[in-house]
Amino acid sequence: SDVGAQKDRVVTEEEWLQKWEMGNIGFHKEQGHPLLQKYLDLLLNGRSGLRIFFPLCGKAVEMKWLADMGHSVVGVEVSEQALKEFFSEHNLPYCEEPVPEIPGGALFQSTSGNISLYCCSIYDLSSSIVGKFDGVWDRGALVAVNPCDRQRYVSLMINLMEKNSSYLLVTVLYDPNKHKGPPFYVPESEVKSLFG
Ligand code: SAH
């Protein structure tokens, strides 16, 4: 495989914000992702009241699903528009507050308290700010991260995981010479070497 074709590609935060402004968000799934339904038991493993993390969350409706099941959901997203759309599209009242540890960042929290969405770059987070998680839903996240940042992203994710946590990862398979991404092509061999 020739992942080299995408190795140096960089999508800036500004470009992501523009995608949201233009409504160029083909990645958003209004009905949620069938693979989360399919593998939900692997994520939960019979446990209740989990802390579930959604890296690069967009306005993923799966956050509402898991919150409705009684879990507490934390997400991170650079686009404030995405987070506001999430709360308004689900008619969820929320409040917004600054995050002292993250200059320019903000926390959008449902009034009920079980959905906390950070508006900042994922690289601004650490376990001292958000704590650790029992489960991760990574769809459109590892594959959206710039290839040069993958190692940094994965190290952070590993840091944010509790001992007995589960991590569901969705990747896409295609010929990286034919599309520039995102989503980027992350072959299984690389997933294995990244996560160990
Ligand atoms: N996981 C979501 C969104 C996938 S698209 C879903 O399944 O629908 C990737 C998202 O990551 C975009 O909304 C983009 O704005 C956001 N993003 C890109 N780089 C980011 C970063 N460094 N930190 C936080 N969010 C980021």
Side-chain angles (χ1 to χ4, degrees):
S1 70
D2 183 13
V3 282
Q6 295 181 336
K7 180 167 69 60
D8 299 319
R9 171 133 161 84
V10 170
V11 180
T12 62
E13 279 187 23
E14 198 49 50
E15 289 174 273
W16 282 109
L17 298 183
Q18 272 165 20
K19 285 181 199 283
W20 279 99
E21 269 168 45
M22 310 287 289
N24 189 2
I25 53 164
F27 51 80
H28 177 66
K29 278 194 170 320
E30 249 165 66
Q31 304 303 320
H33 207 292
L35 287 173
L36 180 56
Q37 271 161 331
K38 182 166 178 197
Y39 292 106
L40 186 63
D41 290 346
L42 272 180
L43 182 65
L44 304 180
N45 198 14
R47 303 167 297 172
S48 54
L50 301 185
R51 297 192 77 227
I52 313 270
F53 186 47
F54 282 70
L56 283 65
C57 62
K59 53 173 181 176
V61 302
E62 297 88 347
M63 298 195 283
K64 177 75 166 41
W65 293 356
L66 285 159
D68 286 346
M69 289 175 213
H71 303 289
S72 105
V73 166
V74 175
V76 61
E77 166 58 53
V78 284
S79 166
E80 175 177 308
Q81 181 186 340
L83 300 182
K84 289 186 167 165
E85 287 179 10
F86 172 79
F87 287 112
S88 68
E89 287 171 15
H90 295 284
N91 297 310
L92 288 169
Y94 66 93
C95 54
E96 178 184 351
E97 54 188 66
V99 183
E101 299 95 329
I102 308 174
L107 173 59
F108 291 75
Q109 196 166 36
S110 62
T111 307
S112 55
N114 56 350
I115 304 180
S116 302
L117 307 181
Y118 288 82
C119 187
C120 61
S121 170
I122 187 161
Y123 307 113
D124 295 329
L125 296 184
S126 63
S127 58
S128 62
I129 302 174
V130 291
K132 296 205 182 219
F133 298 97
D134 307 300
V136 176
W137 172 243
D138 181 325
R139 183 270 171 178
L142 176 65
V143 298
V145 159
N146 289 320
C148 59
D149 293 325
R150 262 175 215 160
Q151 185 65 65
R152 182 183 182 196
Y153 169 83
V154 171
S155 303
L156 172 62
M157 296 305 291
I158 291 172
N159 244 288
L160 295 181
M161 291 170 76
E162 287 284 9
K163 281 234 157 47
N164 288 309
S165 53
S166 341
Y167 192 115
L168 292 187
L169 170 66
V170 183
T171 59
V172 283
L173 291 176
Y174 66 89
D175 180 347
N177 295 300
K178 298 207 169 126
H179 305 274
K180 59 188 168 112
F184 297 111
Y185 172 56
V186 187
E188 184 148 359
S189 57
E190 191 173 344
V191 171
K192 285 192 174 138
S193 63
L194 284 166
F195 286 93

